[in-house]
Amino acid sequence: MAEKKYVYAFEEAHGLGKELLGGKGAGLAEMTSIGVPVPEGFTITTEACTLYYESGKAIPEFVQKQIFDAIKGIEKKTGKAFGGDKKPLLVSVRSGARVSMPGMMDTILNLGLNDVTCAALARETNNERFALDSYRRFILMFTNIAKGHPRDAMDKMLDELKEKNGYKLDTEVTTEQLRDLVARYKEYYKKTFGEDFPSDPKVQLMEAVAAVFRSWDNPRANIYRMQYSIPYSWGTAVNVQSMAFGNKGETSGTGVAFSRNAATGEKAISAEYLPNAQGEDVVAGIRTPLHIDELKRRMPYVYAQFEKTIKTMELHYRDMQDMEFTVEEGKLYFLQTRSGKRTPAAALKMACDMVDEGLITEDEAVLRIDPVSFDKLLLPNFDKDELAAAKNRLIAKGNPAGPGAGTGKIAFTAEEAEKRNAAGEKVVLVRAETSPEDLAGMIACQGILTMRGGMTSHAAVVARGMGKCCITGCAAALIDEEKRTLTIDGKVYTDQDVLSLDGSTGSVYVGDIKKVAPDLSSGNFGRLMAWVDERRDLKVRANADTPRDAHQAKVFGAQGIGLCRTEHMFFDKDKIFSFRKMILAETKEERVAALAEIEPLQQKDFEGLFEEMGELSVNVRLLDPPLHEFLPQEEDKIAELAKATGHTVEFINKRIADLHEFNPMMGHRGCRLDVSYPEIAVMQTNAIIKAALAVSKRKGIKIEPEIMIPLTLELRELKFVKAIVTETADKLIKEAGVNMKYHVGTMIEIPRAALLSDELAKEAEFFSFGTNDLTQLTFGFSRDDASKFLPDYYKNKILEEDPFKTLDQAGVGQLIKFSVKNGRATRPNLHIGVCGETGGEPNSIQFYHDAGLDYVSCSPFRVPVARLAAAQAAIRSPRKK
Amino acid sequence: MAEKKYVYAFEEAHGLGKELLGGKGAGLAEMTSIGVPVPEGFTITTEACTLYYESGKAIPEFVQKQIFDAIKGIEKKTGKAFGGDKKPLLVSVRSGARVSMPGMMDTILNLGLNDVTCAALARETNNERFALDSYRRFILMFTNIAKGHPRDAMDKMLDELKEKNGYKLDTEVTTEQLRDLVARYKEYYKKTFGEDFPSDPKVQLMEAVAAVFRSWDNPRANIYRMQYSIPYSWGTAVNVQSMAFGNKGETSGTGVAFSRNAATGEKAISAEYLPNAQGEDVVAGIRTPLHIDELKRRMPYVYAQFEKTIKTMELHYRDMQDMEFTVEEGKLYFLQTRSGKRTPAAALKMACDMVDEGLITEDEAVLRIDPVSFDKLLLPNFDKDELAAAKNRLIAKGNPAGPGAGTGKIAFTAEEAEKRNAAGEKVVLVRAETSPEDLAGMIACQGILTMRGGMTSHAAVVARGMGKCCITGCAAALIDEEKRTLTIDGKVYTDQDVLSLDGSTGSVYVGDIKKVAPDLSSGNFGRLMAWVDERRDLKVRANADTPRDAHQAKVFGAQGIGLCRTEHMFFDKDKIFSFRKMILAETKEERVAALAEIEPLQQKDFEGLFEEMGELSVNVRLLDPPLHEFLPQEEDKIAELAKATGHTVEFINKRIADLHEFNPMMGHRGCRLDVSYPEIAVMQTNAIIKAALAVSKRKGIKIEPEIMIPLTLELRELKFVKAIVTETADKLIKEAGVNMKYHVGTMIEIPRAALLSDELAKEAEFFSFGTNDLTQLTFGFSRDDASKFLPDYYKNKILEEDPFKTLDQAGVGQLIKFSVKNGRATRPNLHIGVCGETGGEPNSIQFYHDAGLDYVSCSPFRVPVARLAAAQAAIRSPRKK
């Protein structure tokens, strides 16, 4: 029986796909296939990673054998020898997941070095300093990454050495000093682990591969996956590649290149180059790289090849590429390429440009925009005039690494940023440089400012991925972490000072600057949204309770209101008193009288909505929460209410006690209130219909209000409440002598309703899935309480996503599909939407598209995102027309 | 197009079924077909009732026409004329639902009488007194029933007349006085309704038919349906039948007969006869009927025909018959027959006797026992010795109308009985006679004692149906409702006096008498249960948490424990302190230490269960409720706990506040606790497995404990907790060096678990449906809160049954079927049971049988009921073997 293949040389891997090879591995295979100069190497598949975990964190013997065979392959092609005392083969070991997870996964370079190979390398390159420096770096990385030991102590050895000798740069360290350092590193290793540093390259290799596999499960990787909804089950591949050395002297160097500008989208290579260095120096932000012109200046012939290869790759991949390259003694190697992360603004510009260039289709352009960060385009930018006026407050400049505007007080650590943000404070994160450990703080802040690092440093790459404003390499910013101060031009700023960061220009201002909303209808944004709207099947509505929200929704392109929650209206100062009287009423007559006071006010609310929305649909949900939510809790408020209503305090306390519920989420709420107190539904219907009649007459337009009955679970219940609504509405319409239509439907938010959708569709003209409650009941999760145990569920990988944010397709989704199918079986033209929180989440929207819904409804701000996601869904899986 | 037929003459209706004709109508058609003497008539179908409600409570013209055509048919067959001045046709109008609802539905007699027909009847029968008496009764019934007006005022007119003249019996009233009474009744009618009493028989008939239809919806009918789970949608049929007159003098009379004794089951006709009276006098308990020997004595030839016809009918129907008959001037008519209500004890004896007689099969015998009242047989009876010793406390005797033993303080009205019972007091209901309005009080009391009425009075029939102890016709009991006293032999008893009623002998004792449990293994009971156990597919287990419960369950025939709730064990005085320490622990070490204190105690609990159950299955559910349920609420208890644990009061209050949940039902409970605190599952598994190992060794028996993981919703969650359990268990078993099996499975009580059963079955060896929580979540009903709105749901007929008692087949049942199907698709030998409250409810058990479950588990006391219901289900729908 042929053994399963877990290891592929780059030249035999082309076409096997990212799932198996990871993004980096697939890229290397593809680059090899189109003739890009790539160092020889092979990929260990993601299946090997899964196998590693299934084997109890061990690499099975037969996989090890395949790996060593592949090493032999490299030896053959390069004529080098792994562990050899002549022409020693050194390799890099890199992680490579299906999608790029920058900074999350660990890499080991120069693997294969030991005393023998180091000497050989020194001999053969005639550069002992380089050999020793590589050896030193390797021991450090191996200790830190493969063995999981902190690097501080070893870093300190180098720092102290430099300080003692007055060196500024690593390159100033002498060969002798490096030899000594290698010895001290090895000594430290032995002291720490109780064994010699492994000199066998095969042992080194297996430990490194296992370390990459383990790094898939480190806390930072888990945070990143959570943030970006990447399944744990994917695993990572490992790429082993013969080393290319950027640190072999002045004709060597390393760099990172984007085929277009990742921050702005501009069509121009954007690259950085650092002579005589390894790539890690750049990514870690330890040294600030130079502009690519440096390469052009030093080695124009290399630059020409560089430029040509990049163009080839962009044409081949039909997308902006993010590449790492190394020049080893005048020979150019590309180490990896991938579709580059970009700011939302850059993504938009590139997509439009590439359509114009004929590189991609409009469909592809729409698919190129990441809906998750798309709403960043909707964020305000600094007002241009205010920005000009703030010129005198400009205190520093850095690299414009992530566009956007961010204002906040200074936070000096990620933890601090996280805490102060949680406490409601807006902060900007100010760091010498960022590292993967800072991720949570980067998510929590308004913007990032670093002293070190270029356009491709950790901070820059991560911030752009998040669509977060970021300025890197701001050398003027002197940070003292201990004293918690930032000093610029001698002036000292503390954690109480406010900075405004303009990520588009790299300008740092002191104090706040006014921001303005972006223009959404013209330019590339308008162009993209036109393509989007042409393509999508799902309509997009907004959840809006006030004319202000409704207006915002229209600005963002909402095609109606999918959910108006009337309960918010009752908390108005002018209504809450009457509403409380209604709750305290002891007879139906008292209740009706109190409701009569509210009706004209509520009618006014609805008139505002209808005025704003014109002929667009407005879906009003009848009162939903339990009545006790409307009564005061504090003693003084109760006393006040008693006085105002003429009830005794005892009476009100008794009523509050009567209304107490053990599980209010599953209590006397929704249409259950209308079953007990039909007069509430009568009042609300009166207000809705009267408002629609008035506005329709006033503006001479056609309004067809939708009235939605919440929390239904049974046909007879729906019939009962619907009868109240239609009786009330029909009478008003008849009295008005006009021909106004209206629609009565129901929320589907209780599992039983989903299960009995065939029945409910007999009476309901429309369904709207309330995924918040449907998720609560399908999971048996109280949303208010789940935060206590959900962290344990994430930690133990039982759940990977918050089901209240992203629809749980396996469970809740099954109910939704069932409901759509059975509802439409009864009533083929049943109008179906969703108004829960997941209605604005891109993955969920794909599901709703596939499930055949008519619309999604989300918060106004999410409307453009939902439009884009709906178009992408339609492109990915066209509906049968 | 042929018009749909809504009206059938008895002779053309045979075979159309109860659904269409109602029980009474089907019976009359069938009696007619086998030659029983039945007065001519026809049935208006249940479909006409539905049509009546659908037509907005109106009888459509075409139905009216069919009714009048049927009247013409009677006229033709009898030679009488409806409204005729010669040979006037008088009819009865009776309700007849699909199942008998005694006293719930209304009946009108003598319809067709007016001044003209009354005179003709008087003339033709040469009995003016009889004609006027019939006329008087008719006006009274029409006013009371068709028009819904109370009968008090008209009753009072007769009572006053009798009092004034010193009459004791109605029969003493003279013709003249009756004529005057008729005039005064008509006058009262006119005064009350503002119109003349309707003289047109056709108008009378339509009003009467409509009244029967309306009576389907009266409050008493609704209460009865709720009690007996009869769907509202069924509707009632109406039977119109030419009158037979039992009040035509001394050769006339009326009676009720059972073909066997309905109280004891004895094989002997049990009947009562009242000369010169209409049937209503008997049923209403107004006059106490005589023994059937009275008929034999007066008219032996009629009695012979009576006896023979009854035997014919019992043989034909192959069941005990409950019949109404009338003798009109020496001619015998049977007015209706139906399968007779019987006490559980009588049902048991009859079923066994009929098998011995070859009348029915064993299958039929099993089906004859009503599982709903079957548990009455398990109720204690008076201890025979104690009863003998109480001879001196015997204060009165009445008819043994409903067997059983009942002790309680005297309640004089149904409302009082209901209230005092709700307040926790045990009462016996003592009434002059009962009426349908008393139903709720009859349900609430321990036994019923009435002064008037025979074995077939309202109290007797209803009490037997409920399996409630009842003594009727206790003439010595003089009741003063106003003074609220009962006087027997001059001694006065008040609502504080305790009576003991022996319904099997009709004896009334003062004070309490000790009761003993019945013998379940021998006699007819043992015989029936043997048939039952041979037939059923479902095993029956019990929910039991203590050795005492487990013992009781075994006595009742449980085949194992289907649910042991471990949480009850923690409330023990010796465990609660350690458990609270565990909850207050700030580190895992502290938690583990506290749990270690509990483990040996919990092990002892399980040993007790295993000792009791031997080799029968015992299913232990891991801890289920949220932790806050275990902490004290009262200030002094908190202070005590603080002192004992060395924590501050503030600390404990903080912990209580931290643990507070908004919706605890959907909070941090079930296996979510084990995800957060795996050490709890470890401790519980230790206790279970150690106990099983110890008992298994001690008794030399094979024990295979079942460990059940509650509240699962996701495969990875089940895997996580199962891994804790198996790791712990396997280690112990290995250490013990024995070969003990155990099984790990899960509750299915969250909708998502039901939806993902195919997944869960990968890890679960068994499923157990927790219908309590599954119903809560499927409905979105908090069981603790639903009582606030469920009455409105019943009142408005949105729900007809409590879904926590009887499984909601439409919603929850759908999930269960889906889960069974998908679970078994993954694991064909998946063992499936149910342990929610519905596991002991007969209708639900039929569903579980049909759904293919392996067992039901219920409270120990319900085990025999469940065994019976399971056998009935198996007989009704045999499983494919």
Side-chain angles (χ1 to χ4, degrees), chain A residues 698-709:
Chain A
R698 201 148 63 225
K699 299 187 74 170
I701 57 173
K702 202 179 100 186
I703 296 177
E704 291 190 8
E706 298 173 4
I707 299 177
M708 181 148 74
I709 297 170

Side-chain angles (χ1 to χ4, degrees), chain B residues 807-825:
Chain B
L807 182 81
D808 162 51
Q809 298 190 14
V812 182
Q814 226 183 116
L815 283 178
I816 290 177
K817 276 197 223 162
F818 185 83
S819 174
V820 170
K821 189 175 140 234
N822 292 334
R824 291 245 173 88

Side-chain angles (χ1 to χ4, degrees), chain A residues 658 660 662-666 672 676 717 750 752 778-780 782 785 788 792-793 798 808 814 818, chain B residues 658 660 662-666 672 676 716-717 750 752 778-780 782 785 788 792-793 808 814 818:
Chain A
D658 287 348
H660 168 79
F662 292 95
N663 297 290
M665 193 266 134
M666 310 164 81
R672 297 167 195 174
S676 297
E717 181 189 40
I750 289 197
R752 197 174 190 271
T778 305
F779 277 76
S782 162
D785 303 309
K788 284 184 197 158
D792 296 324
Y793 272 64
I798 293 169
D808 162 50
Q814 224 182 118
F818 185 84
Chain B
D658 285 348
H660 169 78
F662 294 96
N663 298 289
M665 194 265 135
M666 310 164 82
R672 297 166 197 176
S676 297
R716 283 176 296 222
E717 181 188 41
I750 289 199
R752 196 173 190 273
T778 306
F779 277 76
S782 162
D785 303 310
K788 284 182 196 158
D792 296 324
Y793 272 64
D808 162 51
Q814 226 183 116
F818 185 83

Side-chain angles (χ1 to χ4, degrees), chain A residues 273-292:
Chain A
Y273 181 67
L274 190 61
N276 201 15
Q278 292 279 62
E280 270 47 47
D281 298 335
V282 183
V283 172
I286 293 171
R287 288 170 59 191
T288 303
L290 310 173
H291 194 271
I292 192 67

Side-chain angles (χ1 to χ4, degrees), chain A residues 858-871:
Chain A
C858 54
S859 69
F861 193 72
R862 301 287 293 171
V863 166
V865 174
R867 287 158 68 196
L868 171 62

Side-chain angles (χ1 to χ4, degrees), chain A residues 501-529:
Chain A
L501 308 181
D502 185 350
S504 315
T505 60
S507 306
V508 181
Y509 299 85
V510 68
D512 197 3
I513 299 174
K514 198 181 141 193
K515 298 174 189 71
V516 290
D519 178 10
L520 301 180
S521 53
S522 64
N524 281 333
F525 192 95
R527 224 177 137 199
L528 178 83
M529 292 317 277

Side-chain angles (χ1 to χ4, degrees), chain B residues 129 132-133 136 152-185:
Chain B
R129 191 191 175 288
L132 284 166
D133 189 40
R136 171 193 77 78
D152 319 13
M154 290 165 113
D155 279 343
K156 207 173 160 195
M157 292 182 208
L158 176 62
D159 288 346
E160 281 171 0
L161 175 74
K162 281 160 70 181
E163 200 173 316
K164 209 169 95 188
N165 291 286
Y167 299 158
K168 275 199 168 169
L169 302 174
D170 289 4
T171 44
E172 295 174 74
V173 180
T174 67
T175 306
E176 278 315 303
Q177 285 165 339
L178 281 172
R179 185 177 299 117
D180 181 52
L181 210 53
V182 165
R184 286 174 57 205
Y185 275 15

Side-chain angles (χ1 to χ4, degrees), chain B residues 825-870:
Chain B
T826 299
R827 186 188 288 260
N829 66 346
L830 185 71
H831 198 236
I832 307 183
V834 60
C835 64
E837 201 161 311
T838 61
E841 192 279 323
N843 286 329
S844 311
I845 289 171
Q846 174 79 54
F847 176 87
Y848 296 132
H849 168 83
D850 293 340
L853 264 58
D854 295 300
Y855 71 91
V856 296
S857 187
C858 54
S859 69
F861 193 71
R862 301 288 292 171
V863 166
V865 173
R867 287 160 67 197
L868 172 62

